[in-house]
Amino acid sequence: MARTGERYAVARAHVLGASGGAGPVVDAGWTLRGGTDPDTAALANVLEHRGVTGPDWPLTEPLLLVVGGGLGAGYILWEFAHDDSRVVTLGFTHSWQYFDRRLATTVDRLGLDVAWSRTGGSGAAARALASTLAAGDPAIVWPDRYHVGYWNLPEHLDGHGGHPVVAYAGGGDQVHVDDRTLGPLTVPVAAVDRARARVGSYKNTMLVVRSSDEVVPADRLRAAVRDGLQAMVDHLAGSSTSFALPAWRKWSRLLVDQRAAKGWPTVFADRRGMLRALAGVWEGVEPAGMDGGHLRGLFADGLTQAAAVLEEPALAAEAQRWQEIGQRWHLLAETALPDDVPAIAEIRELTATVTGAVAEGDAGAAERTAAAEQLWRLRAEHADASPLDEERLASIRTAMSAQLAAIHEAETSAVASLRAVLSR
């Protein structure tokens, strides 16, 4: 994972062989299938559990990514005065800046029967989740990563939010949680309740799919897929320099701009926080991080499946473009956090170890705790003194700038080509 940036399940399959070892684990009647993108993996696993399918195929994670609007583009460099931190935020999905919009759009386009709960009070939210689980229904919830505990994050990340996970069973004082895991993962009820209540913008939100043993009609699925693809090309072709393809061009320029207030040479003139920013790029781009990465490969798989749904072979041909773009992103991540520097190689390996141990569930608890403690100690050690000298940092910024310019050009071309296919 540290070397290739792959998601844990993919790297594990390489090691264990094509079968990936034994079949998926079933815990409390719930099958743990893993996944890449938190939103679409959560929904795909819930729909599989509920017996909701397409007319001739399952509603897979790649296909749901397409239905929800596909890919996005986003770059923001935050500067926080209270702790003098500089944080890189990247967005790789449609509507990435809204925590619930993709899932809401996806279930609406598929015509699913769902129930949203947005209870403000912690007590009522806790009772609603407990009642849902007692009825045997899984729930998609949004916990704060620091308070949910199993990511073993440092205190300065308290309240930074998190991604959706599936709570699928309760038992005593524990909640069984699926965060793209392959083994049972349990979290104390009190920690789940506290984590769900922490972030005001999505406080205690819960999504429950009530559809069961249903087949989404072929015409509805075709419309959902086409609408998702159209939304993606319309959005990415927009003019926003934070939420559409121009974001990559802006980031490319700011990496080397000596005069811009938000230029990296200015923001990181003292080199403080530089390693955090570069590690944030690696974690954000590579599937080995917490968020699932750039998702260009997952979208390519979705295009291949969409070609069958829409009976449009040209979509399958477009998939290769996005696979190649995914490789460009991988090379960018490699450039941002080069593993020929021992401290950086260790940071990458520890990050991958934490993600992999989370995927193992409770069985990986000791490993992820130890790895996370070492990871954040090492990152703190280099917070003010990057292991990269100024000459190397300048070289990295220049190389990243050129790579991002090429990515912008490639994605712009790919979006135009996809638009041409859809307009036939």
Side-chain angles (χ1 to χ4, degrees):
M1 290 173 67
R3 186 180 72 253
T4 66
E6 292 170 322
R7 196 78 194 154
Y8 178 72
V10 177
R12 184 174 182 269
H14 284 314
V15 174
L16 298 180
S19 67
V25 172
V26 178
D27 176 47
W30 174 268
T31 302
L32 295 161
R33 302 177 178 87
T36 300
D37 170 44
D39 290 66
T40 51
L43 184 58
N45 291 334
V46 167
L47 296 182
E48 182 77 16
H49 179 78
R50 300 286 294 176
V52 179
T53 70
D56 299 304
W57 40 73
L59 297 172
T60 65
E61 182 184 357
L63 192 60
L64 292 175
L65 178 64
V66 169
V67 171
L71 300 175
Y75 164 78
I76 300 174
L77 176 58
W78 300 100
E79 296 180 77
F80 297 105
H82 71 279
D83 61 355
D84 191 30
S85 62
R86 303 92 187 252
V87 180
V88 175
T89 298
L90 302 176
F92 289 110
T93 63
H94 191 277
S95 302
W96 63 269
Q97 66 271 36
Y98 302 102
F99 80 94
D100 59 348
R101 186 166 296 184
R102 271 202 301 145
L103 280 177
T105 299
T106 303
V107 297
D108 285 349
R109 284 183 176 145
L110 293 173
L112 302 178
D113 180 16
V114 303
W116 287 92
S117 172
R118 304 179 188 273
T119 308
S122 298
R127 290 190 294 273
L129 176 59
S131 174
T132 298
L133 298 181
D137 295 324
I140 298 175
V141 297
W142 283 260
D144 176 76
R145 287 180 184 142
Y146 171 76
H147 285 282
V148 82
Y150 54 80
W151 288 105
N152 296 98
L153 297 175
E155 190 173 4
H156 71 262
L157 294 179
D158 176 3
H160 280 223
H163 53 257
V165 303
V166 181
Y168 61 87
D173 62 351
Q174 301 288 314
V175 176
H176 295 242
V177 172
D178 184 357
D179 188 349
R180 300 156 293 167
T181 49
L182 301 174
L185 174 65
T186 56
V187 181
V189 170
V192 172
D193 294 341
R194 185 168 57 250
R196 292 182 62 212
R198 176 63 180 89
V199 182
S201 59
Y202 49 80
K203 193 172 184 179
N204 295 320
T205 299
M206 181 171 71
L207 170 62
V208 177
V209 175
R210 295 187 294 206
S211 299
S212 180
D213 298 321
E214 293 183 13
V215 175
V216 175
D219 58 345
R220 184 184 300 159
L221 182 58
R222 284 194 294 269
V225 168
R226 181 169 288 278
D227 288 348
L229 290 172
Q230 191 64 56
M232 174 182 145
V233 298
D234 289 344
H235 183 76
L236 286 180
S239 60
S240 172
T241 58
S242 295
F243 305 113
L245 287 183
W248 305 146
R249 185 175 56 207
K250 177 184 74 172
W251 185 15
S252 171
R253 176 179 58 81
L254 291 176
L255 279 164
V256 294
D257 194 324
Q258 301 281 344
R259 294 179 296 179
K262 281 290 188 177
W264 283 43
T266 300
V267 174
F268 297 105
D270 57 5
R271 295 173 57 193
R272 293 183 63 193
M274 187 67 186
L275 181 64
R276 177 178 181 177
L278 293 174
V281 172
W282 188 84
E283 291 177 53
V285 170
E286 296 288 54
M290 290 185 287
D291 290 320
H294 57 75
L295 301 177
R296 271 51 185 166
L298 189 71
F299 176 69
D301 293 340
L303 275 181
T304 301
Q305 295 174 27
V309 173
L310 297 178
E311 299 179 336
E312 178 51 82
L315 288 176
E318 293 299 311
Q320 182 60 35
R321 286 177 179 264
W322 290 99
Q323 290 287 5
E324 292 170 358
I325 289 170
Q327 282 302 306
R328 290 179 183 269
W329 280 107
H330 171 63
L331 292 175
L332 177 80
E334 290 285 298
T335 300
L337 207 63
D339 64 359
D340 62 335
V341 179
I344 288 178
E346 188 175 4
I347 285 172
R348 283 171 53 157
E349 185 169 348
L350 290 168
T351 301
T353 299
V354 172
T355 304
V358 168
E360 289 286 7
D362 290 342
E367 183 180 21
R368 67 176 179 261
T369 299
E373 181 178 350
Q374 189 176 355
L375 169 65
W376 291 104
R377 177 193 59 75
L378 188 60
R379 288 183 59 152
E381 179 183 331
H382 293 287
D384 297 330
S386 170
L388 300 161
D389 61 30
E390 185 53 46
E391 183 179 358
R392 185 70 185 276
L393 288 173
S395 174
I396 287 172
R397 290 196 303 266
T398 299
M400 287 177 63
S401 177
Q403 289 170 328
L404 277 165
I407 286 172
H408 174 262
E409 183 178 347
E411 293 202 350
T412 299
S413 176
V415 167
S417 183
L418 186 55
R419 182 187 295 277
V421 173
L422 293 174
S423 66
R424 292 178 185 175

